[in-house]
Amino acid sequence: GLRLERATTRSLDERVTLNQALALLRRDLQGAVPPNSNAVFICDFRSGANLGGSLGSSMGATKGSAIEFCTTTGVIKDDAPWGDLQRVRYQLVEPADRTARGQDLVRVITRNLLPITTEESDTQWLMGNVESLEFLTYDGSSWRDSWDSTMGDTGLPTAVRARVLLANTNLANNAAFTLEPLELLVPLMTQARTNTTATSTGGDQ
């Protein structure tokens, strides 16, 4: 009975952390900027299992699916020169604790989109114990397992679906603790901008 109670409590705690991570992902996606919509910054939208890359030897290499895009969720501070536009990347990396099951979900943030030398990014740890991470993009007619504006995909996908499966660290081979993936579906809505100035066609000025 005690083992059952502890396992249930642990599972609920993990779900709370996962919900917080998905809420942050939803907020970033809702502020996503269309690729090449800014003449100064290059804002590509990429997702899939082939993004590759590494966060350095301390974090380990990318695992599973990842997503990277520009969003207007940057926090403006008086002591920092950055605006609200930033690049974010969600991905799985090897856990810092080598004895832990699953992988760590991190959010890589790049505030300076015009680096003079080497681009610098900050890594925000979101949660551990993640078995798998998958991003699907909707092009208006079908779901795709990848999107890359640098390879010909135009604009943003119509929607993004994230699937996160936690590693089962509870009682082994116990059907009562079989976990199901948690899904997040976010429609992406963009507003077209124009440089033309509206003019009045009648009436007194």
Side-chain angles (χ1 to χ4, degrees):
L2 289 175
R3 287 197 298 268
L4 177 61
E5 180 182 1
R6 292 168 184 167
T8 302
T9 301
R10 188 185 306 116
S11 179
L12 292 175
D13 291 342
E14 291 171 349
R15 287 286 178 159
V16 171
T17 306
L18 177 56
N19 288 336
Q20 293 173 344
L22 292 182
L24 185 59
L25 173 60
R26 179 193 297 274
R27 179 172 173 268
D28 281 339
L29 285 171
Q30 289 175 339
V33 175
N36 301 323
S37 64
N38 193 303
V40 179
F41 305 107
I42 298 177
C43 294
D44 293 311
F45 189 101
R46 302 189 300 155
S47 69
N50 298 321
L51 292 187
S54 173
L55 294 179
S57 58
S58 62
M59 293 298 297
T62 301
K63 300 292 184 179
S65 185
I67 190 169
E68 181 180 82
F69 55 94
C70 289
T71 179
T72 57
T73 56
V75 178
I76 300 178
K77 299 180 180 179
D78 294 336
D79 58 348
W82 321 124
D84 62 347
L85 185 65
Q86 61 183 1
R87 184 185 302 117
V88 296
R89 178 182 178 121
Y90 288 81
Q91 63 184 63
L92 295 180
V93 297
E94 293 292 345
D97 182 4
R98 298 300 181 180
T99 63
R101 294 190 59 183
Q103 303 171 76
D104 288 348
L105 173 61
V106 298
R107 177 176 180 251
V108 185
I109 309 163
T110 304
R111 298 300 308 272
N112 183 11
L113 301 183
L114 287 175
I116 298 178
T117 56
T118 304
E119 186 175 275
E120 297 182 358
S121 300
D122 295 324
T123 301
Q124 177 185 5
W125 184 90
L126 299 180
M127 65 175 299
N129 191 38
V130 180
E131 181 69 25
S132 65
L133 174 67
E134 180 184 25
F135 291 103
L136 299 174
T137 53
Y138 190 66
D139 61 6
S141 59
S142 61
W143 288 99
R144 299 167 46 184
D145 58 7
S146 66
W147 189 282
D148 194 341
S149 61
T150 67
M151 300 296 292
D153 289 322
T154 304
L156 294 174
T158 304
V160 172
R161 174 180 289 166
R163 292 175 176 169
V164 183
L165 177 63
L166 298 179
N168 191 350
T169 57
N170 296 311
L171 299 179
N173 301 322
N174 191 329
F177 294 99
T178 301
L179 299 177
E180 295 294 334
L182 186 60
E183 290 193 356
L184 172 69
L185 177 62
V186 183
L188 302 187
M189 305 188 63
T190 60
Q191 181 177 358
R193 296 183 179 180
T194 177
N195 292 326
T196 59
T197 303
T199 58
S200 175
T201 56
D204 297 334
Q205 298 294 323

